[in-house]
Short mmCIF file of all heavy atoms in Angstrom, two decimals:
data_model
loop_
_atom_site.label_atom_id
_atom_site.label_comp_id
_atom_site.label_asym_id
_atom_site.label_seq_id
_atom_site.Cartn_x
_atom_site.Cartn_y
_atom_site.Cartn_z
N PRO A 219 0.80 -1.18 0.00
CA PRO A 219 0.01 -0.01 -0.02
C PRO A 219 0.84 1.30 -0.03
O PRO A 219 0.36 2.23 -0.43
CB PRO A 219 -0.85 -0.13 1.24
CG PRO A 219 -0.25 -1.11 2.08
CD PRO A 219 0.56 -2.13 1.11
N LEU A 220 2.05 1.23 0.55
CA LEU A 220 2.85 2.48 0.52
C LEU A 220 3.26 2.96 -0.84
O LEU A 220 3.47 4.09 -1.17
CB LEU A 220 4.16 2.33 1.44
CG LEU A 220 3.87 2.30 2.94
CD1 LEU A 220 5.24 2.15 3.58
CD2 LEU A 220 3.13 3.59 3.32
N MET A 221 3.36 1.95 -1.81
CA MET A 221 3.64 2.27 -3.16
C MET A 221 2.51 3.19 -3.75
O MET A 221 2.78 4.05 -4.49
CB MET A 221 3.83 1.08 -4.07
CG MET A 221 5.10 0.37 -3.75
SD MET A 221 5.46 -0.96 -4.98
CE MET A 221 5.62 0.05 -6.49
N LYS A 222 1.30 2.88 -3.35
CA LYS A 222 0.12 3.64 -3.77
C LYS A 222 0.09 5.02 -3.10
O LYS A 222 -0.18 6.02 -3.72
CB LYS A 222 -1.18 2.88 -3.46
CG LYS A 222 -1.32 1.70 -4.32
CD LYS A 222 -1.59 2.03 -5.68
CE LYS A 222 -2.08 0.80 -6.51
NZ LYS A 222 -2.33 1.17 -7.87
N LYS A 223 0.24 5.02 -1.77
CA LYS A 223 0.10 6.24 -1.03
C LYS A 223 1.05 7.29 -1.40
O LYS A 223 0.66 8.44 -1.42
CB LYS A 223 0.11 5.86 0.55
CG LYS A 223 -0.12 7.04 1.43
CD LYS A 223 -0.15 6.50 2.85
CE LYS A 223 -0.37 7.66 3.80
NZ LYS A 223 -0.30 7.27 5.22
N TYR A 224 2.29 6.93 -1.68
CA TYR A 224 3.31 7.87 -1.90
C TYR A 224 3.80 7.83 -3.33
O TYR A 224 5.00 7.99 -3.60
CB TYR A 224 4.46 7.69 -0.94
CG TYR A 224 4.01 7.79 0.49
CD1 TYR A 224 3.94 6.72 1.30
CD2 TYR A 224 3.63 9.07 1.01
CE1 TYR A 224 3.59 6.83 2.63
CE2 TYR A 224 3.21 9.22 2.33
CZ TYR A 224 3.20 8.00 3.17
OH TYR A 224 2.85 8.19 4.46
N ARG A 225 2.92 7.53 -4.34
CA ARG A 225 3.38 7.22 -5.58
C ARG A 225 4.03 8.44 -6.35
O ARG A 225 4.74 8.28 -7.29
CB ARG A 225 2.28 6.68 -6.50
CG ARG A 225 1.24 7.62 -6.85
CD ARG A 225 0.27 7.00 -7.87
NE ARG A 225 -1.02 7.69 -7.66
CZ ARG A 225 -2.17 7.01 -7.63
NH1 ARG A 225 -2.12 5.67 -7.83
NH2 ARG A 225 -3.29 7.57 -7.53
N ASP A 226 3.78 9.64 -5.86
CA ASP A 226 4.34 10.91 -6.49
C ASP A 226 5.62 11.37 -5.78
O ASP A 226 6.16 12.40 -6.07
CB ASP A 226 3.31 11.94 -6.45
CG ASP A 226 2.13 11.60 -7.38
OD1 ASP A 226 2.32 10.81 -8.37
OD2 ASP A 226 0.96 12.07 -7.12
N THR A 227 6.07 10.60 -4.86
CA THR A 227 7.33 10.98 -4.17
C THR A 227 8.46 10.13 -4.51
O THR A 227 8.27 8.96 -5.03
CB THR A 227 7.14 10.83 -2.60
OG1 THR A 227 7.04 9.48 -2.28
CG2 THR A 227 5.95 11.64 -2.05
N PRO A 228 9.68 10.60 -4.33
CA PRO A 228 10.88 9.78 -4.80
C PRO A 228 11.03 8.47 -3.96
O PRO A 228 11.75 7.55 -4.39
CB PRO A 228 12.03 10.71 -4.52
CG PRO A 228 11.45 12.09 -4.33
CD PRO A 228 10.04 11.90 -3.90
N TRP A 229 10.40 8.39 -2.79
CA TRP A 229 10.58 7.19 -2.00
C TRP A 229 10.37 5.83 -2.69
O TRP A 229 11.23 4.90 -2.53
CB TRP A 229 9.63 7.31 -0.77
CG TRP A 229 9.62 6.06 0.12
CD1 TRP A 229 10.51 5.92 1.12
CD2 TRP A 229 8.85 4.98 0.04
NE1 TRP A 229 10.25 4.65 1.68
CE2 TRP A 229 9.26 4.02 1.07
CE3 TRP A 229 7.83 4.52 -0.80
CZ2 TRP A 229 8.69 2.76 1.20
CZ3 TRP A 229 7.24 3.28 -0.65
CH2 TRP A 229 7.69 2.50 0.40
N ASP A 230 9.34 5.82 -3.48
CA ASP A 230 9.00 4.52 -4.10
C ASP A 230 9.81 4.24 -5.41
O ASP A 230 9.58 3.13 -5.84
CB ASP A 230 7.52 4.38 -4.28
CG ASP A 230 6.95 5.43 -5.29
OD1 ASP A 230 7.72 6.11 -6.03
OD2 ASP A 230 5.75 5.56 -5.39
N TYR A 231 10.49 5.12 -5.93
CA TYR A 231 11.08 4.87 -7.30
C TYR A 231 12.19 3.76 -7.28
O TYR A 231 12.47 3.25 -8.25
CB TYR A 231 11.70 6.13 -7.81
CG TYR A 231 10.63 7.07 -8.47
CD1 TYR A 231 10.69 8.39 -8.28
CD2 TYR A 231 9.59 6.53 -9.12
CE1 TYR A 231 9.70 9.28 -8.75
CE2 TYR A 231 8.57 7.42 -9.75
CZ TYR A 231 8.71 8.75 -9.44
OH TYR A 231 7.74 9.51 -10.01
N ASN A 232 12.74 3.62 -6.09
CA ASN A 232 13.90 2.57 -6.09
C ASN A 232 13.47 1.28 -5.63
O ASN A 232 14.21 0.25 -5.77
CB ASN A 232 15.01 3.18 -5.19
CG ASN A 232 16.32 2.83 -5.76
OD1 ASN A 232 16.50 2.62 -6.95
ND2 ASN A 232 17.35 2.69 -4.88
N GLU A 233 12.24 1.10 -5.11
CA GLU A 233 11.79 -0.20 -4.73
C GLU A 233 10.36 -0.58 -5.27
O GLU A 233 9.49 0.32 -5.45
CB GLU A 233 11.66 -0.23 -3.14
CG GLU A 233 12.99 -0.53 -2.43
CD GLU A 233 12.76 -0.82 -0.99
OE1 GLU A 233 11.67 -0.67 -0.40
OE2 GLU A 233 13.75 -1.18 -0.39
N ILE A 234 10.17 -1.87 -5.49
CA ILE A 234 8.86 -2.40 -5.77
C ILE A 234 8.71 -3.45 -4.59
O ILE A 234 9.51 -4.30 -4.32
CB ILE A 234 8.83 -3.13 -7.09
CG1 ILE A 234 9.06 -2.16 -8.26
CG2 ILE A 234 7.51 -3.85 -7.25
CD1 ILE A 234 9.29 -2.79 -9.48
N LYS A 235 7.54 -3.28 -3.95
CA LYS A 235 7.36 -4.06 -2.75
C LYS A 235 6.00 -4.77 -2.83
O LYS A 235 4.93 -4.06 -3.14
CB LYS A 235 7.45 -3.25 -1.45
CG LYS A 235 7.32 -4.01 -0.26
CD LYS A 235 7.61 -3.20 1.04
CE LYS A 235 7.67 -3.97 2.28
NZ LYS A 235 7.96 -3.06 3.45
N LEU A 236 5.92 -6.03 -2.71
CA LEU A 236 4.74 -6.86 -2.66
C LEU A 236 4.51 -7.46 -1.29
O LEU A 236 5.40 -8.01 -0.78
CB LEU A 236 4.74 -8.01 -3.75
CG LEU A 236 5.14 -7.59 -5.12
CD1 LEU A 236 5.47 -8.80 -6.00
CD2 LEU A 236 4.10 -6.68 -5.70
N SER A 237 3.37 -7.28 -0.72
CA SER A 237 3.08 -7.81 0.59
C SER A 237 2.35 -9.17 0.55
O SER A 237 1.31 -9.36 -0.08
CB SER A 237 2.04 -6.90 1.33
OG SER A 237 2.72 -5.62 1.63
N ALA A 238 3.02 -10.22 1.15
CA ALA A 238 2.43 -11.52 1.19
C ALA A 238 1.71 -11.65 2.49
O ALA A 238 2.39 -11.70 3.57
CB ALA A 238 3.62 -12.56 1.04
N ARG A 239 0.40 -11.76 2.41
CA ARG A 239 -0.42 -11.73 3.72
C ARG A 239 -1.08 -13.10 3.81
O ARG A 239 -1.63 -13.71 2.91
CB ARG A 239 -1.55 -10.73 3.53
CG ARG A 239 -0.97 -9.33 3.35
CD ARG A 239 -2.12 -8.34 3.09
NE ARG A 239 -1.51 -7.04 2.93
CZ ARG A 239 -2.22 -5.94 3.24
NH1 ARG A 239 -3.42 -5.97 3.67
NH2 ARG A 239 -1.67 -4.76 3.09
N GLN A 240 -1.00 -13.55 5.02
CA GLN A 240 -1.69 -14.78 5.39
C GLN A 240 -3.19 -14.53 5.54
O GLN A 240 -3.59 -13.32 5.63
CB GLN A 240 -1.19 -15.42 6.80
CG GLN A 240 -1.54 -14.52 7.93
CD GLN A 240 -1.01 -15.16 9.19
OE1 GLN A 240 -0.30 -16.10 9.17
NE2 GLN A 240 -1.47 -14.68 10.26
N SER A 241 -4.01 -15.57 5.65
CA SER A 241 -5.43 -15.36 5.78
C SER A 241 -5.73 -14.92 7.22
O SER A 241 -4.84 -15.16 8.04
CB SER A 241 -6.15 -16.69 5.61
OG SER A 241 -5.72 -17.70 6.49
N TRP A 242 -6.76 -14.18 7.43
CA TRP A 242 -7.14 -13.60 8.76
C TRP A 242 -7.31 -14.75 9.73
O TRP A 242 -6.88 -14.58 10.89
CB TRP A 242 -8.34 -12.83 8.67
CG TRP A 242 -8.16 -11.45 8.04
CD1 TRP A 242 -6.96 -10.91 7.56
CD2 TRP A 242 -9.19 -10.53 7.77
NE1 TRP A 242 -7.19 -9.73 6.99
CE2 TRP A 242 -8.58 -9.45 7.15
CE3 TRP A 242 -10.60 -10.49 7.94
CZ2 TRP A 242 -9.28 -8.29 6.71
CZ3 TRP A 242 -11.21 -9.36 7.59
CH2 TRP A 242 -10.58 -8.27 6.92
N ASP A 243 -7.81 -15.90 9.37
CA ASP A 243 -7.96 -16.94 10.28
C ASP A 243 -6.65 -17.73 10.63
O ASP A 243 -6.60 -18.56 11.47
CB ASP A 243 -9.06 -17.93 9.85
CG ASP A 243 -8.72 -18.69 8.59
OD1 ASP A 243 -7.52 -18.62 8.07
OD2 ASP A 243 -9.60 -19.39 8.06
N GLY A 244 -5.55 -17.37 9.97
CA GLY A 244 -4.26 -17.98 10.14
C GLY A 244 -4.13 -19.37 9.69
O GLY A 244 -3.04 -20.05 9.94
N ALA A 245 -5.07 -19.92 8.93
CA ALA A 245 -4.95 -21.25 8.38
C ALA A 245 -4.19 -21.33 7.13
O ALA A 245 -3.67 -22.44 6.69
CB ALA A 245 -6.39 -21.79 8.26
N ASP A 246 -4.19 -20.22 6.34
CA ASP A 246 -3.55 -20.23 5.00
C ASP A 246 -2.40 -19.22 5.04
O ASP A 246 -2.58 -18.02 4.95
CB ASP A 246 -4.50 -19.87 3.83
CG ASP A 246 -4.07 -20.29 2.55
OD1 ASP A 246 -3.08 -21.04 2.39
OD2 ASP A 246 -4.80 -19.82 1.57
N VAL A 247 -1.16 -19.76 5.24
CA VAL A 247 -0.01 -18.90 5.48
C VAL A 247 1.03 -19.16 4.40
O VAL A 247 1.09 -20.18 3.75
CB VAL A 247 0.63 -19.19 6.90
CG1 VAL A 247 -0.35 -18.79 7.98
CG2 VAL A 247 1.16 -20.55 7.01
N TRP A 248 1.99 -18.13 4.28
CA TRP A 248 3.08 -18.28 3.38
C TRP A 248 4.30 -18.72 4.12
O TRP A 248 4.44 -18.35 5.28
CB TRP A 248 3.39 -16.89 2.75
CG TRP A 248 2.34 -16.37 1.83
CD1 TRP A 248 1.38 -15.41 2.13
CD2 TRP A 248 2.22 -16.71 0.48
NE1 TRP A 248 0.59 -15.28 0.99
CE2 TRP A 248 1.13 -15.99 -0.03
CE3 TRP A 248 2.82 -17.63 -0.37
CZ2 TRP A 248 0.58 -16.06 -1.28
CZ3 TRP A 248 2.38 -17.75 -1.72
CH2 TRP A 248 1.25 -17.01 -2.13
N THR A 249 5.22 -19.39 3.39
CA THR A 249 6.50 -19.68 3.98
C THR A 249 7.50 -18.94 3.07
O THR A 249 7.25 -18.81 1.87
CB THR A 249 6.86 -21.22 4.02
OG1 THR A 249 6.92 -21.66 2.62
CG2 THR A 249 5.72 -21.93 4.79
N PRO A 250 8.67 -18.56 3.57
CA PRO A 250 9.66 -17.95 2.72
C PRO A 250 10.12 -18.82 1.57
O PRO A 250 10.27 -18.31 0.47
CB PRO A 250 10.91 -17.78 3.67
CG PRO A 250 10.22 -17.67 5.06
CD PRO A 250 9.08 -18.54 5.02
N ALA A 251 10.14 -20.14 1.74
CA ALA A 251 10.50 -20.93 0.59
C ALA A 251 9.49 -20.94 -0.48
O ALA A 251 9.89 -20.91 -1.69
CB ALA A 251 10.64 -22.51 1.12
N GLU A 252 8.22 -20.89 -0.17
CA GLU A 252 7.15 -20.79 -1.19
C GLU A 252 7.30 -19.47 -1.95
O GLU A 252 7.13 -19.36 -3.14
CB GLU A 252 5.75 -20.80 -0.50
CG GLU A 252 5.37 -22.22 -0.02
CD GLU A 252 4.00 -22.11 0.71
OE1 GLU A 252 3.86 -21.22 1.53
OE2 GLU A 252 3.14 -22.96 0.40
N LEU A 253 7.59 -18.41 -1.22
CA LEU A 253 7.69 -17.04 -1.78
C LEU A 253 8.76 -16.87 -2.82
O LEU A 253 8.76 -16.10 -3.66
CB LEU A 253 7.78 -16.07 -0.68
CG LEU A 253 6.40 -15.87 0.09
CD1 LEU A 253 6.61 -14.91 1.25
CD2 LEU A 253 5.26 -15.32 -0.75
N CYS A 254 9.83 -17.81 -2.68
CA CYS A 254 10.92 -17.62 -3.56
C CYS A 254 10.49 -17.90 -5.02
O CYS A 254 11.03 -17.30 -5.94
CB CYS A 254 12.06 -18.63 -3.17
SG CYS A 254 12.92 -18.13 -1.63
N VAL A 255 9.55 -18.79 -5.26
CA VAL A 255 9.08 -19.12 -6.59
C VAL A 255 8.39 -17.79 -7.17
O VAL A 255 8.59 -17.41 -8.25
CB VAL A 255 8.09 -20.29 -6.59
CG1 VAL A 255 7.38 -20.39 -7.92
CG2 VAL A 255 8.77 -21.56 -6.16
#
């Protein structure tokens, strides 16, 4: 969301960031190994 909020500032030009979020109930989670793909 910070990429959207500050899209007109120089802050975001050097990074692209994607947030990997687990389910709210905590049953469906990400592992770092999965995220590598």
